[in-house]
């Protein structure tokens, strides 16, 4: 299976912004409504009718172990997971939302020095024993409950490269290391995703930043005003594709709907200011996102669009509203695709 060294799937275009004040000024509608128009009342019924089921509905997921590094994972240019903690990732990492169709899928990992340790101070560069192991598995969605992982099948195992001695990490001494490899997946659906979208890296980047900021302000205002159906009206394409690659049932969709509604129903739900972010391009330059620049591991790489609320037990919960925007070819405004 071919392996592509140092493949760059995400273009990071950083614009440090000190503050983006939410005012009463009219916000440009940079994200288009899509048809059919989702609402909280038709969410389940509309999406359920769009899902095509098959006798074989494979899920692909990853198990990851790592040493002496923080890491980020992307599949086909879409971020699927990050870990900036000292502990291991013990649960499987679902990657269904990044697989749009059958064929070769590209996994990219980015490694960073572990700047803290159990003893306190960490390191500034990757060390000789830094390593990461990524195992790709698949199973049929029909296998659930206690049997969910009994029939799982290994697809591929990748271990980070070493020098000629077979022990020393090849990226030793670097403050950043990136590598990509591929695996084959067969799925019974084909999503359009961002394959035919405009290459945003070829746009004027200052204009793109302004356009993206306005799009985030548009959603910020909807969330702040608790206009759930206004937000849902932007989501059909994203939710349709996610529902298909998750092979969603009625119960799955009802759970998704609740996950949208629960934070907004909290009495102390409060949107946080849009500030201290960077603009990042993903998916070969066809997806754009605003991410926090904070080095706080609770916020690092998370969406710039977020809120805080307290759950029933009084715990403070952060609700990150992740928006990956694209411009379908032939259009000028954004749509939300992931």
């Amino acid at each position: 299976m071919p392996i592509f060294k140092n493949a760059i799937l995400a273009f990071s275009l950083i614009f440090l912004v000190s503050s983006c004040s939410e005012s009463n000024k009219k916000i440009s509608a940079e994200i288009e409504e899509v048809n059919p128009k989702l609402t909280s009342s038709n969410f389940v019924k509309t999406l359920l009718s769009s899902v095509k089921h098959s006798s074989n509905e494979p899920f692909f997921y990853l198990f990851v172990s790592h040493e002496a590094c923080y890491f980020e994972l992307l599949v086909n240019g879409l971020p699927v997971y990050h870990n900036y903690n000292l502990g291991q990732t013990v649960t499987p990492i679902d990657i269904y939302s990044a697989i749009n169709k059958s064929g070769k899928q590209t996994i990219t990992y980015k490694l960073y020095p572990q700047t803290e340790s159990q003893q306190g101070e960490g390191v500034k560069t990757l060390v000789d024993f830094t390593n990461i192991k990524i195992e790709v598995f698949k199973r049929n969605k029909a296998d659930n409950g206690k049997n969910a992982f009994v029939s799982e099948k290994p697809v591929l195992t990748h271990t980070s490269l070493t020098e000629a001695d077979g022990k020393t990490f090849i990226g030793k001494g670097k403050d950043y290391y990136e590598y990509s490899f591929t695996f084959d997946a067969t799925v019974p659906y084909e999503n359009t995703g961002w394959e035919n979208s405009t290459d945003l890296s070829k746009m004027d980047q200052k204009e793109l930043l302004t356009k993206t900021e306005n799009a985030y302000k548009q959603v910020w205002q909807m969330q702040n005003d608790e206009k759930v159906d206004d937000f849902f009206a932007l989501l059909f394409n994203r939710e349709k594709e996610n529902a298909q690659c998750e092979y969603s049932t009625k119960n799955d969709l009802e759970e998704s709907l609740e996950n949208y509604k629960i934070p907004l129903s909290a009495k102390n739900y409060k949107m946080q200011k849009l500030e201290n972010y960077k603009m990042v391009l993903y998916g070969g330059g066809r997806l754009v996102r605003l991410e926090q620049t904070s080095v706080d591991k609770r916020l690092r790489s998370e969406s710039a669009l977020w809120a805080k609320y307290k759950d029933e037990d009084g715990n403070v919960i952060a609700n990150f509203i992740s928006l990956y925007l694209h411009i379908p070819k032939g259009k000028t405004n954004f749509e939300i695709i992931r």
Side-chain angles (χ1 to χ4, degrees), residues 62-82:
L62 311 176
F63 280 103
V64 177
S65 59
H66 67 289
E67 187 174 11
C69 62
Y70 300 137
F71 68 89
E72 299 171 1
L73 293 175
L74 299 90
V75 176
N76 298 326
L78 181 73
V80 295
Y81 188 80
H82 59 249

Side-chain angles (χ1 to χ4, degrees), residues 13-15 200-214 279:
L13 302 151
I14 302 178
F15 298 83
L200 303 176
S201 68
K202 296 180 180 179
M203 291 178 59
D204 179 287
Q205 295 303 289
K206 289 184 178 180
E207 291 180 5
L208 178 61
L209 174 61
T210 299
K211 187 177 182 68
T212 307
E213 287 174 330
N214 286 335
M279 182 177 78

Side-chain angles (χ1 to χ4, degrees), residues 63 205 240-241 247 252 271 279 282-283 288 315:
F63 280 103
Q205 295 303 289
K240 179 189 72 171
E241 292 199 348
Y247 318 108
D252 294 329
M271 291 296 295
M279 182 177 78
Y282 291 107
V288 65
N315 300 309

